[in-house]
C-alpha cells in the first residue's frame, strides 16, 4: 500500500513538473512570437579598410538597439545602395575616379543564409558615381556620375548581372561658383510617379534635366519637353522628391541650404518655381550644405538634413491644398555631417547617418505631429552615407 501511494505521488509530481515545463516553454515561445519584427536596412559607406563595406543593419524598437546582420567588404566606396522590390538583388555604386572611373556592382542576397554574394561589376563610363536608381520595370540601373557630370543606363539581366551601358548622356555647362560649379555634377536621378520621366539634378549647372523614359527602345532616355528647368544661380540642386500627385517638386538646394518648391503643370508641361524655404535660421553665417530630403508616406510632412555648421534635421508640415511648407522643427542630428537619413516603413522612426562622426542614430517619430525625438540608440559605423529601407 505504501509502495502504491509513493508511486502515485511520484506520478503526480512528474506530471505536474512536465506540465509546468511545457507551459513555461509555450509561454516563452509565445513571448518571442509577440515581439515585433526588427526594422532592417542596407547601409552604404565610404571605405578605407578591409572591415568597411555594405552593411545590413536591424533595429529593435522594444530595446532601442541596433544589430549588424551582415557586412560585405568586397567593394570600394559603396556610397549608394538599393535593392529590387523582391529584395533578393542588391546594387551599389563604387564611387571612384581615376583612369578606370566608377562602377556599379550587383549582388544576390540570401535572407535565410544571411549572405550577400557579388554577381557582377559594370562600368558607369564616368567618374564618381554617387546615385543609382532602378527603372520602374526593373530592367535597367541608371547611374549618375558626379565627377564627370554624366549618366549611364545599364541593362539588368534576368540572372541579376549588369550589362555594359546601353546609353550614356553627358551634360554641358557651368554656373557661378567657380570652386564647385566649373563643370556639370550629376547628383541624383529620380523617376516621376508616372514612371515615364526621369529627373536628373545637376549641381554644377544649376539645372534639373528631364528625360522621357521608354524601355522598349535600345536607348530608353530622350530629352523631354521641357528638357530642363533652371534653379537660382549658385543654389546647387542635389536631391529631389515628388508629392503623390506628381505636380509638386521639392528640391534640395545644397549650396544655399534650402528646399525649393516647384509646381509641375502636367497638362501644359510647365515647371514654375513657387518658393524656397531656408533650412538655417535668419542671419545664419556659417557653412551651408543641405543633403537629403524625404516625404512621409501620408504626404503630410517633409524632412531635410543640413550639414555644414548646422548638423540638423529640419521638419516641415506640408499644406494639403497648396503644397507649401511650414517649418515646425529643427533638431540636432546628434553628430557631424548628416549626409543621409531614412524613415522606417511604419513611419514611426527616422534613422540618420552622421558621416564625419562615424555613427548612426535612431529617432522616434510622432506620425500625427511629424515631430521626431532622439532615442538612446547609437551604432558606430565607419562613414555612413546612405540608407535603403528593406520592405519599403
Amino acid at each position: 500500500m505504501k509502495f502504491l501511494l509513493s508511486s502515485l505521488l511520484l506520478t503526480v509530481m512528474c506530471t505536474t513538473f512536465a506540465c509546468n515545463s511545457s507551459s513555461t516553454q509555450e509561454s516563452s515561445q509565445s513571448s518571442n512570437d509577440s515581439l515585433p519584427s526588427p526594422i532592417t536596412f542596407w547601409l552604404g559607406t565610404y571605405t578605407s579598410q578591409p572591415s568597411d563595406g555594405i552593411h545590413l543593419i536591424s533595429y529593435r524598437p522594444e530595446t532601442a538597439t541596433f544589430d549588424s546582420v551582415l557586412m560585405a567588404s568586397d567593394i570600394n566606396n559603396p556610397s549608394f545602395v538599393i535593392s529590387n522590390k523582391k529584395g533578393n538583388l542588391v546594387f551599389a555604386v563604387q564611387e571612384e575616379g581615376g583612369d578606370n572611373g566608377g562602377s556599379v556592382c550587383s549582388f544576390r542576397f540570401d535572407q535565410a543564409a544571411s549572405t550577400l554574394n557579388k554577381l557582377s561589376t559594370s562600368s558607369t563610363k564616368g567618374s564618381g558615381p554617387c546615385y543609382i536608381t532602378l527603372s520602374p520595370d526593373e530592367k535597367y540601373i541608371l547611374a549618375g556620375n558626379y565627377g564627370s557630370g554624366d549618366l549611364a543606363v545599364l541593362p539588368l539581366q534576368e540572372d541579376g548581372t549588369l550589362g555594359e551601358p546601353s546609353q550614356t548622356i553627358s551634360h554641358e555647362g557651368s554656373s557661378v561658383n567657380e570652386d564647385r560649379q566649373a563643370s556639370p555634377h550629376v547628383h541624383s536621378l529620380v523617376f516621376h510617379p508616372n514612371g515615364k520621366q526621369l529627373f536628373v539634378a545637376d549641381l554644377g549647372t544649376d539645372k534639373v534635366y528631364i528625360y522621357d523614359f521608354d524601355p522598349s527602345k535600345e536607348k530608353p532616355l530622350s530629352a523631354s519637353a521641357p528638357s530642363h528647368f533652371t534653379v537660382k544661380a549658385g543654389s546647387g540642386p542635389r536631391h529631389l522628391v515628388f508629392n503623390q500627385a506628381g505636380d509638386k517638386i521639392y528640391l534640395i538646394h545644397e549650396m544655399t541650404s534650402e528646399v525649393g518648391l516647384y509646381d509641375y503643370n502636367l497638362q501644359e508641361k510647365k515647371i514654375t518655381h513657387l518658393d524656397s524655404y531656408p533650412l538655417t535660421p535668419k542671419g545664419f553665417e556659417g557653412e551651408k550644405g543641405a543633403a537629403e530630403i524625404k516625404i512621409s508616406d501620408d504626404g503630410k510632412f517633409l524632412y531635410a538634413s543640413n550639414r555644414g555648421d548646422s548638423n540638423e534635421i529640419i521638419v516641415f508640415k506640408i499644406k494639403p491644398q497648396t503644397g507649401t511648407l511650414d517649418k515646425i522643427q529643427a533638431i540636432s542630428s546628434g553628430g557631424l555631417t548628416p549626409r543621409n537619413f531614412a524613415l522606417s516603413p511604419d513611419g514611426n522612426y527616422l534613422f540618420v547617418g552622421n558621416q564625419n562622426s562615424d555613427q548612426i542614430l535612431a529617432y522616434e517619430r510622432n506620425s500625427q505631429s511629424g515631430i521626431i525625438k532622439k532615442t538612446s540608440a547609437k551604432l558606430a559605423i565607419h562613414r555612413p552615407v546612405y540608407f535603403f529601407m528593406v520592405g519599403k
Side-chain angles (χ1 to χ4, degrees):
M1 184 68 177
K2 288 183 180 179
F3 174 77
L4 185 60
L5 287 173
S6 297
S7 298
L8 181 61
L9 180 61
L10 181 60
T11 301
V12 171
M13 290 175 65
C14 290
T15 302
T16 302
F17 175 78
C19 288
N20 287 341
S21 176
S22 175
S23 176
T24 300
Q25 291 176 358
E26 290 176 2
S27 175
S28 175
Q29 182 65 41
S30 176
S31 176
N32 288 334
D33 290 344
S34 66
L35 289 176
S37 299
I39 300 167
T40 310
F41 53 86
W42 294 103
L43 184 71
T45 67
Y46 283 121
T47 57
S48 61
Q49 51 194 10
S51 60
D52 302 333
I54 300 172
H55 299 262
L56 183 63
I57 307 292
S58 67
Y59 176 74
R60 290 199 172 274
E62 69 275 10
T63 57
T65 54
F66 290 107
D67 292 305
S68 179
V69 179
L70 68 82
M71 195 276 291
S73 60
D74 186 22
I75 189 169
N76 295 323
N77 293 334
S79 62
F80 203 96
V81 182
I82 62 174
S83 175
N84 64 345
K85 294 174 184 176
K86 191 175 179 180
N88 64 329
L89 294 175
V90 175
F91 309 93
V93 303
Q94 290 196 113
E95 189 177 334
E96 297 180 301
D99 294 336
N100 296 326
S103 57
V104 179
C105 300
S106 66
F107 299 81
R108 185 168 300 282
F109 174 54
D110 186 328
Q111 184 175 6
S114 193
T115 57
L116 189 67
N117 296 314
K118 184 183 285 189
L119 299 175
S120 66
T121 301
S122 184
S123 171
T124 61
K125 304 299 181 182
S127 66
C130 67
Y131 200 106
I132 51 175
T133 189
L134 261 173
S135 61
D137 59 3
E138 296 198 336
K139 292 183 178 180
Y140 297 95
I141 286 284
L142 298 97
N145 294 309
Y146 180 86
S148 52
D150 42 40
L151 55 145
V153 182
L154 288 72
L156 176 58
Q157 313 301 329
E158 290 186 3
D159 62 359
T161 60
L162 292 166
E164 288 296 303
S166 60
Q167 183 178 13
T168 58
I169 298 175
S170 296
H171 289 174
E172 296 180 355
S174 59
S175 194
V176 297
N177 188 310
E178 295 181 359
D179 292 331
R180 299 199 59 193
Q181 297 181 308
S183 62
H185 295 298
V186 171
H187 221 317
S188 62
L189 308 91
V190 180
F191 276 96
H192 187 273
N194 65 20
K196 298 177 181 179
Q197 291 180 305
L198 182 73
F199 284 64
V200 180
D202 191 318
L203 181 143
T205 62
D206 277 326
K207 293 179 181 178
V208 176
Y209 295 84
I210 309 169
Y211 297 96
D212 291 332
F213 175 71
D214 186 347
S216 67
K217 296 181 178 180
E218 182 180 352
K219 294 184 177 181
L221 296 180
S222 59
S224 188
S227 62
H228 69 274
F229 67 93
T230 303
V231 306
K232 184 179 178 180
S235 296
R238 181 182 172 93
H239 288 185
L240 64 92
V241 290
F242 294 91
N243 65 346
Q244 294 174 353
D247 61 358
K248 295 292 185 294
I249 303 167
Y250 299 90
L251 174 66
I252 283 288
H253 298 169
E254 175 179 334
M255 295 165 59
T256 53
S257 284
E258 297 171 324
V259 173
L261 170 59
Y262 300 82
D263 180 76
Y264 185 17
N265 188 312
L266 297 171
Q267 285 70 40
E268 299 180 6
K269 293 191 175 181
K270 181 180 179 182
I271 297 174
T272 305
H273 176 244
L274 298 180
D275 208 345
S276 291
Y277 301 88
L279 301 180
T280 54
K282 188 176 182 179
F284 181 84
E285 296 181 355
E287 181 182 347
K288 297 179 179 180
E292 187 56 284
I293 187 168
K294 303 284 185 182
I295 293 179
S296 58
D297 286 345
D298 60 11
K300 295 180 179 180
F301 302 97
L302 182 145
Y303 299 81
S305 67
N306 197 17
R307 299 167 299 175
D309 291 327
S310 293
N311 298 303
E312 291 179 327
I313 304 296
I314 314 299
V315 186
F316 294 91
K317 186 174 183 178
I318 302 174
K319 294 181 180 180
Q321 300 302 321
T322 62
T324 54
L325 303 177
D326 283 331
K327 184 187 292 187
I328 60 174
Q329 185 183 23
I331 184 172
S332 171
S333 69
L336 300 176
T337 319
R339 175 168 172 149
N340 196 255
F341 65 88
L343 296 167
S344 62
D346 61 10
N348 293 329
Y349 295 90
L350 182 147
F351 305 104
V352 61
N354 290 303
Q355 177 181 342
N356 291 346
S357 294
D358 298 325
Q359 62 181 3
I360 59 174
L361 292 85
Y363 289 72
E364 292 180 345
R365 176 179 176 269
N366 185 312
S367 60
Q368 298 302 311
S369 67
I371 297 297
I372 60 174
K373 180 182 178 182
K374 188 161 71 75
T375 71
S376 60
K378 183 185 296 186
L379 181 67
I381 291 283
H382 181 75
R383 296 294 188 266
V385 288
Y386 192 76
F387 293 84
F388 184 86
M389 304 304 302
V390 174
K392 187 169 184 178

